[in-house]
Amino acid sequence: MAHGAGGKATAALIEGLLVPAFASPALDELADAGALAVDGAQLALTTDSFVVKPIRFPGGSIGELAVNGTVNDLAVAGARPLALTLSLILEEGLDTGVLRAEVDAIASAARAAGVEIVAGDTKVVERGHADQLYICTTGVGRRDPRARLSPAALRPGDRVLVSGPIGEHGTAIMLARGEFDLGATVESDTRPLWPAVDALLDAAGPGLRCLRDATRGGVASVLNELARASGVALLVHERAVPVNPVVTGAAELLGIDPMHVANEGVFVAVVAAEQAGAALAALRGAGDGETFARAAEIGEVKTEPPALVLVETAFGGKRVMDQLVGDPLPRIC
Amino acid sequence: MTATVAARRRVRARVDGTVQGVGFRPYVHRLARELGLGGSVGNDERGVVVEVEGEQAAVAAFLARLPAEAPPLAQVEEVRVHELPARGERLFAIVKSARKGAAAALVVPDAATCDACLAELRDPADRRYRYPFVNCTNCGPRFTIVRDVPYDRPRTTMAGFAMCPACQAEYDDPADRRFHAQPNACPQCGPQARLIGADARPREDAVAAAGRLLAGGEIVAVKGIGGYHLACRADDARAVAELRARKRREDRPFALLAADLGAAATLISIGDAERALLTAPARPIVLAPRRAHAPVAAAVAPGVRELGVMLPYSPLHHLLAADAGGPLVLTSGNVSDEPIAFADDDALARLAPIADAFLVHDRPIRTRTDDSVVRAVGGQPLTLRRSRGHVPASSRLPRPAARPLLACGAELKSTFCLARGGRAWVGHHIGDLRNAATLAAYRDGVTHFERLFAVRPELIAHDLHPDYLSTAYAHERAERDGIELLAVQHHHAHLAACLAEHGERGTAVGAIYDGAGLGPDGTVWGGELLVGDLRGYARAGSLWPVRLPGGDRAAYEPWRMACAWLVALGDGAGDAATGAGAADADPPPLPPQLAGRVEPRAWAAVARMAASGFAAPVTTSMGRLFDAVAALCGLRTHCTYEGQAAIELEAAADAAEHDAYPLPVTVDGRLDARATIAAVAADVRAGVATGIVSARFHRAVAHATARGCARAASVAGSELVVLSGGVFQNRLLLELTRAQLSALGLRPLVPRRLPPGDGGIAYGQAAVAAATDA
Ligand SMILES: [Fe+3]
Ligand SMILES: [Mg+2]
Ligand SMILES: [Zn+2]
Ligand SMILES: [Zn+2]
């Protein structure tokens, strides 16, 4: 079953099985977090499970991912993360040193993201029934009144921004898993995104149309979801997309497109053309002024062809960038 | 007197095939009158219906001559005769079309200038002397100018040209060669050629000026029938090099235009089959062995032994080829892998950086069509690309479709196919659907054909591959219009296409060799021995599975397959189920032939991928085995166009070498090419020439294929063996394999009118869908 790679198969599973079963207007939006109002307080709620191999990788570990993944789902829904709950599933016999390191990673990531861990649970399962350590986190955030985010808001002419160089998390994991030596290292980009979202909301206000966390399936998946949800075309300028050379090299070796590679600290934003310049400047200066310095405008919203994402290549040709069903399968016959 | 009455005979003849819009009714009219017959001729939705009455002998003569002397563009597939009582009719008339129900094949392919029009073109006394758009019922543009049906001038791109009285008179006269010739035109009323970017000299027309520029070494963009070409003198090394640089086309061979058969004969060896192909109304590019002293620059076709040559297919090209004074490169008007330009504004914008001047005209092109490409194998045509001149002629389905259907094809050399009943319309070569403009042309092409041939699909066939954009289109249509879907396995479609083309309904063995097609087991197939028919198939064997490191990347970097095969060789502990070598074995050392061309670090990483299977799916691809051998020889490590390594490996083969490498076929039908690779590596190490290695390798594959097929055939109880898939574009492999099969008493069957490559997939899917939907 190819349902884990964040592509079309996952989308089919979610839209075909899960959404109908739990019918709710919040779920129909298929955003990264659900919205709800509690006695007038505008809240956002999200939950995520983390399964990664290896659990420690260059630039991070599963504990850090478990915090950042969930706070980022809140952030791209336009909500300031407030608190998390934490559930640990441990494989019997897990090394206590490993566990301690992950608990420390969770604690420091939560501090960095400005959230509290307010509840938790731990289960131990028989050896072989889990692979070392799984983590589930649930996050609650306060929806920011400046945020009016929806793919339905996309208009021809809007600009597409990306918050930094793409493909680093997935590349770090793949290189670690395949034990490749490329003569250079690449680290996961796992990081909290709220500071960047905060800066964008300030600079663009209602001109900020939509945000998406480019996790599994990479930037390509997110853009395709947006194009399909809004019925517009998205045109990406290949040369404008920030990619570090190590990522490009690894992607060439493995025969994948960096646009399909997972990120854990990169979002895609669609901004009205008039606000695009200010938004990009604010994004680049967000946080410590370095983390998002390589944010870039990578494309724009068009009308034709509807619901498709196109990439303009260096030669000026336009190619279709689609979402894969699962792992990339060869097509050259 | 009663004897005379009894001798009178009346028949109704129903003529099926390509018989509308090709001057068939006036032809019948002339023939009936010549024989002194009464009766009538008319079109209906299925074809032409004739009734004739007269002397017994005259009616018999009429029926004999009717198919034999049909106009050049007509294709009579069947004449069914029905006896009627004589009623004494003595006059013959053309009756108006009574059309109800679905339209049949009214739109026919574009056809090369006929001899009569050519004579007018060259006759200074004729009113169409040097008129680049002369045509008649027997020739000229058709499919490329049709906007809608019924096929009448207002629904073609000739709509904007009102006929002058002289042209109108021809058009209205049933005895005239131009009776109902929709694109009929002359210099007074028809399209005009124009030169952009340079000036014509006094008393020089636009075509003559373009010819002069070409003769002077310049690059001219030329608007033809199906799109824009880029032209330059083929014998001008500087012009050819300049064209390659501007077009960003590194090595892929350029096609050539020769003024006539004599000029073509200086370029390629022309046998009877080549002559027939070169001069056919379709005027395809014909691939044939190049002559030793062919007057063309080396850069026209580097690394190959053939040249692709076509003869002029329109009056404009006749004039231009003559005026340019030597063979021309005539290559698609595009940059790199973009589709050929055909809309004027787009062409001017895209080709401006490439062309020094433009030879254009004001007759719009409705549908882009590329040049068709063929080659003769064993005296018979083998179609490599089916487009201009062949589309939209219909093909038969041996098992008729119960419901109208659409088959969506593959992805890279994509075509589509519509079918209704026993008739299938395969669309023009569309190309790589990943290109946005090509995808738009595909979508437009499908709906255009649905309108032209009145097919409303109730069933859609597509490939198993989930990521082909043709599969995505199938799903989109199915969802939008509520149509049922059928997934057809890629290699079964290749097999079925060949069977259907030859009208075979029975079971056959198929050796289907190509680059990649998804198997039902989720692995990447491409070297398959199948047993099957139009309805179903079973896998009877395959190439030994190895890993495809980096997926499609490997198709452009043959060295990766050399690495994967060496890993599979390993210490002999490889596993046919997973395609992996021994995972903990040391990576194979970088072969000396690849040193300096492949980075040792990349080699080590790819070896690791091949051993572990990480980012390296299991494949039985025959195309990639050819790549591996080409790389091991040091012939090619990186490709600049798809299939380059295999093409160059074939070109290198030494015809005088008759040995073959071992290639055992295991009891479960695996072609264990590990032994072959080991032998190749040993020969290369020993300094054996590449030509010898290539020949021994080709022979090994041919022998093993024949042995594998023979075994499968005896189990299946069939002597029919289909050879198809893109790898069989390889003439040497195809001829060797056919000879082997024939020697074993088997009957080899090869696709002829549809490509063995993925251009034939849509038709195969349609054949399978029709057969299973009964
Ligand atoms: Fe194929
Ligand atoms: Mg998530
Ligand atoms: Zn003619
Ligand atoms: Zn006229």
Side-chain angles (χ1 to χ4, degrees):
Chain A
M1 174 157 182
H3 287 136
K8 276 185 280 199
T10 314
L13 177 70
I14 294 170
E15 287 163 32
L17 180 64
L18 301 180
V19 173
F22 308 123
S24 113
L27 262 186
D28 286 346
E29 289 267 311
L30 281 185
D32 293 287
L36 74 167
V38 180
D39 291 341
Q42 302 295 312
L43 301 180
L45 199 59
T46 190
T47 188
D48 215 334
S49 310
F50 295 84
V51 176
V52 63
K53 192 174 181 171
I55 61 171
R56 297 201 74 84
F57 43 83
S61 70
I62 190 170
E64 217 174 325
L65 281 190
V67 172
N68 289 338
T70 294
V71 299
N72 289 346
D73 280 346
L74 293 169
V76 295
R80 177 189 296 273
L82 299 174
L84 296 182
T85 69
L86 173 71
S87 171
L88 299 173
I89 295 169
L90 312 179
E91 184 186 13
E92 183 189 350
L94 176 69
D95 186 279
T96 47
V98 170
L99 180 58
R100 171 163 302 282
E102 290 316 308
V103 170
D104 287 348
I106 291 166
S108 72
R111 257 194 315 280
V115 292
E116 276 184 278
I117 310 278
V118 294
D121 178 57
T122 304
K123 292 279 186 301
V124 178
V125 298
E126 276 175 57
R127 205 182 279 273
H129 286 221
D131 190 357
Q132 289 190 283
L133 168 64
Y134 300 154
I135 307 178
C136 306
T137 50
T138 295
V140 65
R142 179 184 294 280
R143 281 188 282 149
D144 194 294
R146 296 166 296 177
R148 298 267 183 285
L149 307 177
S150 163
L154 266 56
R155 296 287 171 270
D158 287 353
R159 301 304 152 87
V160 179
L161 313 184
V162 66
S163 66
I166 65 165
E168 307 202 332
H169 173 76
T171 304
I173 296 283
M174 285 187 284
L175 294 184
R177 233 192 283 170
E179 296 173 28
F180 295 109
D181 170 20
L182 294 187
T185 55
V186 53
E187 298 202 330
S188 168
D189 51 30
T190 178
R191 66 169 69 91
L193 291 171
W194 174 254
V197 173
D198 192 23
L200 265 187
L201 284 169
D202 253 357
L208 179 61
R209 313 279 201 213
C210 194
L211 286 171
R212 283 287 158 104
D213 193 7
T215 53
R216 283 183 308 176
V219 171
S221 263
V222 163
L223 293 176
N224 273 284
E225 282 162 19
L226 285 179
R228 266 205 309 276
S230 62
V232 299
L234 295 174
L235 177 64
V236 172
H237 306 289
E238 192 174 53
R239 273 176 302 186
V241 180
V243 192
N244 280 326
V246 196
V247 171
T248 308
E252 272 174 21
L253 173 69
L254 299 173
I256 44 180
D257 183 342
M259 302 287 262
H260 284 128
V261 176
N263 310 277
E264 284 294 342
V266 174
F267 63 73
V268 167
V270 181
V271 186
E274 312 82 68
Q275 274 87 41
L280 185 57
L283 184 51
R284 286 177 170 166
D288 57 7
E290 280 174 28
T291 309
F292 301 102
R294 290 187 61 199
E297 181 181 316
I298 62 166
E300 62 202 293
V301 178
K302 301 272 193 188
T303 45
E304 289 290 324
L308 270 189
V309 183
L310 303 182
V311 189
E312 189 169 59
T313 63
F315 294 158
K318 294 194 183 81
R319 307 214 23 107
V320 176
M321 175 168 74
D322 73 341
Q323 201 174 7
L324 300 177
V325 166
D327 289 332
L329 283 167
R331 297 187 261 220
I332 296 179
C333 192
Chain B
M1 282 300 115
T2 46
T4 318
V5 173
R8 275 189 83 78
R9 181 183 176 201
R10 185 179 181 92
V11 296
R12 178 185 297 140
R14 160 164 286 294
V15 188
D16 275 352
T18 306
V19 288
Q20 297 183 344
V22 292
F24 202 81
R25 284 178 304 155
Y27 153 70
V28 171
H29 184 246
R30 279 195 301 277
L31 184 61
R33 286 193 159 182
E34 184 191 321
L35 294 167
L37 298 170
S40 64
V41 59
N43 285 338
D44 71 1
E45 62 271 17
R46 286 158 60 202
V48 164
V49 185
V50 193
E51 286 191 23
V52 286
E53 176 176 341
E55 299 280 332
Q56 288 275 9
V59 171
F62 176 85
L63 292 174
R65 289 172 63 182
L66 181 70
E69 298 173 18
L73 298 187
Q75 275 182 12
V76 176
E77 288 176 3
E78 194 178 11
V79 181
R80 271 168 298 163
V81 179
H82 186 78
E83 301 292 334
L84 297 172
R87 57 164 102 129
E89 196 170 11
R90 310 230 164 227
L91 293 174
F92 196 90
I94 297 180
V95 296
K96 261 202 166 320
S97 311
R99 189 172 304 117
K100 44 185 187 292
L106 259 178
V107 182
V108 299
D110 306 278
T113 315
C114 72
D115 289 343
C117 286
L118 200 51
E120 293 170 351
L121 183 72
R122 288 170 177 165
D123 176 5
D126 194 276
R127 71 188 187 97
R128 291 189 175 92
Y129 174 61
R130 282 190 69 84
Y131 179 55
F133 307 96
V134 52
N135 68 83
C136 73
T137 317
N138 299 329
C139 72
R142 293 289 190 279
F143 170 64
T144 50
I145 62 167
V146 171
R147 290 191 168 127
D148 206 348
V149 281
Y151 174 60
D152 275 325
R153 190 166 173 117
R155 277 172 292 268
T156 70
T157 63
M158 286 298 290
F161 302 94
M163 274 184 277
C164 69
C167 286
Q168 187 71 48
E170 295 165 340
Y171 182 91
D172 292 334
D173 177 3
D176 196 278
R177 207 172 88 240
R178 297 192 163 92
F179 176 65
H180 282 199
Q182 306 303 347
N184 187 27
C186 78
Q188 271 62 56
C189 67
Q192 303 294 326
R194 194 159 60 93
L195 191 67
I196 300 175
D199 289 324
R201 290 175 181 166
R203 291 197 311 283
E204 189 185 52
D205 61 40
V207 180
R212 172 173 50 77
L213 293 176
L214 289 166
E218 300 206 44
I219 296 170
V220 180
V222 181
K223 182 178 177 183
I225 294 282
Y228 278 74
H229 283 108
L230 289 159
C232 74
R233 274 284 288 261
D235 50 356
D236 184 334
R238 195 207 52 81
V240 175
E242 188 64 31
L243 179 56
R244 283 212 177 273
R246 293 189 199 170
K247 228 176 107 73
R248 297 180 212 266
R249 175 148 149 168
E250 288 169 82
D251 303 315
R252 185 186 291 222
F254 283 142
L256 302 173
L257 175 69
D260 50 35
L261 262 182
T266 67
L267 303 170
I268 49 174
S269 336
I270 299 178
D272 290 343
E274 283 82 8
R275 183 177 303 107
L277 290 170
L278 280 166
T279 56
R283 287 291 193 281
I285 296 169
V286 179
L287 296 178
R290 72 189 287 167
R291 298 286 299 269
H293 301 289
V296 298
V300 163
V304 296
R305 286 185 182 177
E306 291 184 319
L307 290 176
V309 178
M310 69 180 131
L311 295 183
Y313 64 85
S314 85
L316 184 144
H317 292 88
H318 275 287
L319 297 172
L320 189 66
D323 293 348
L328 291 174
V329 163
L330 199 65
T331 183
S332 50
N334 59 9
V335 182
S336 190
D337 293 328
E338 290 285 292
I340 182 169
F342 73 103
D344 297 320
D345 295 348
D346 174 60
L348 291 178
R350 276 164 57 198
L351 304 182
I354 306 178
D356 298 311
F358 284 79
L359 177 60
V360 302
H361 60 76
D362 53 359
R363 184 179 65 207
I365 299 169
R366 162 59 181 84
T367 303
R368 157 175 76 87
T369 55
D370 297 79
D371 297 316
S372 294
V373 183
V374 297
R375 147 196 295 158
V377 177
Q380 296 284 318
L382 179 76
T383 303
L384 304 179
R385 184 165 70 196
R386 182 180 172 276
S387 194
R388 180 184 50 71
H390 294 292
V391 176
S394 65
S395 306
R396 293 286 195 160
L397 290 178
R399 295 191 183 276
R403 295 181 284 175
L405 61 91
L406 163 67
C408 293
E411 175 160 282
L412 210 54
K413 309 247 183 285
S414 67
T415 53
F416 54 84
C417 177
L418 287 160
R420 176 164 27 81
R423 205 163 276 285
W425 291 271
V426 181
H428 45 303
H429 163 87
I430 299 266
D432 179 5
L433 298 184
R434 294 273 128 191
N435 186 292
T438 310
L439 180 63
Y442 173 87
R443 302 174 67 98
D444 168 68
V446 173
T447 48
H448 190 46
F449 269 64
E450 285 179 6
R451 226 174 26 247
L452 292 187
F453 303 109
V455 179
R456 299 259 163 286
E458 292 171 26
L459 176 64
I460 299 184
H462 62 86
D463 197 274
L464 270 187
H465 200 303
D467 294 326
Y468 279 177
L469 289 175
S470 55
T471 303
Y473 179 74
H475 281 275
E476 180 193 320
R477 284 292 302 269
E479 206 164 297
R480 197 189 74 195
D481 303 336
I483 307 176
E484 196 181 320
L485 285 172
L486 175 74
V488 180
Q489 200 278 327
H490 190 88
H491 301 90
H492 184 213
H494 274 306
L495 170 66
C498 183
L499 289 174
E501 183 192 320
H502 293 280
E504 295 284 352
R505 293 155 161 244
T507 299
V509 174
I512 312 296
Y513 294 169
D514 65 5
L518 190 62
D521 59 357
T523 70
V524 181
W525 289 17
E528 309 308 312
L529 301 183
L530 307 180
V531 173
D533 58 17
L534 297 173
R535 291 200 170 99
Y537 73 99
R539 200 185 199 189
S542 79
L543 183 61
W544 187 266
V546 297
R547 293 286 178 166
L548 185 64
D552 277 340
R553 195 88 199 168
Y556 279 91
E557 297 182 14
W559 66 268
R560 289 178 182 243
M561 289 315 293
C563 185
W565 273 100
L566 291 176
V567 167
L569 232 62
D571 52 8
D575 178 356
T578 65
D584 49 357
D586 284 337
L590 180 64
Q593 283 69 28
L594 305 188
R597 297 205 266 167
V598 176
E599 244 199 290
R601 206 196 294 275
W603 178 266
V606 162
R608 186 175 280 282
M609 289 158 70
S612 68
F614 189 79
V618 173
T619 190
T620 49
S621 170
M622 185 61 80
R624 300 292 84 83
L625 177 66
F626 276 74
D627 287 356
V629 173
L632 284 174
C633 292
L635 190 61
R636 180 147 297 276
T637 56
H638 296 76
C639 296
T640 68
Y641 64 93
E642 188 226 321
Q644 185 178 14
I647 290 168
E648 291 178 354
L649 186 66
E650 180 194 355
D654 187 334
E657 173 60 30
H658 289 281
D659 275 357
Y661 291 126
L663 207 178
V665 182
T666 67
V667 283
D668 50 352
R670 299 278 192 197
L671 275 59
D672 188 355
R674 292 179 303 168
T676 323
I677 291 291
V680 168
D683 265 3
V684 172
R685 261 197 310 277
V688 174
T690 297
I692 304 286
V693 175
S694 171
R696 290 175 178 172
F697 168 69
H698 276 83
R699 285 170 183 276
V701 175
H703 289 211
T705 301
R707 282 199 310 280
C709 287
R711 185 187 299 171
S714 73
V715 174
S718 165
E719 87 268 3
L720 197 58
V721 178
V722 167
L723 302 178
S724 193
V727 168
F728 281 109
Q729 294 178 44
N730 182 318
R731 180 206 294 262
L732 177 60
L733 179 69
L734 183 56
E735 288 185 333
L736 288 171
T737 310
R738 286 178 69 208
Q740 290 282 321
L741 288 168
S742 299
L744 291 171
L746 298 167
R747 187 154 66 90
L749 200 63
V750 171
R752 293 296 182 184
R753 280 165 293 139
L754 285 146
D758 281 4
I761 286 287
Y763 175 62
Q765 291 169 345
V768 171
T772 53
D773 191 41

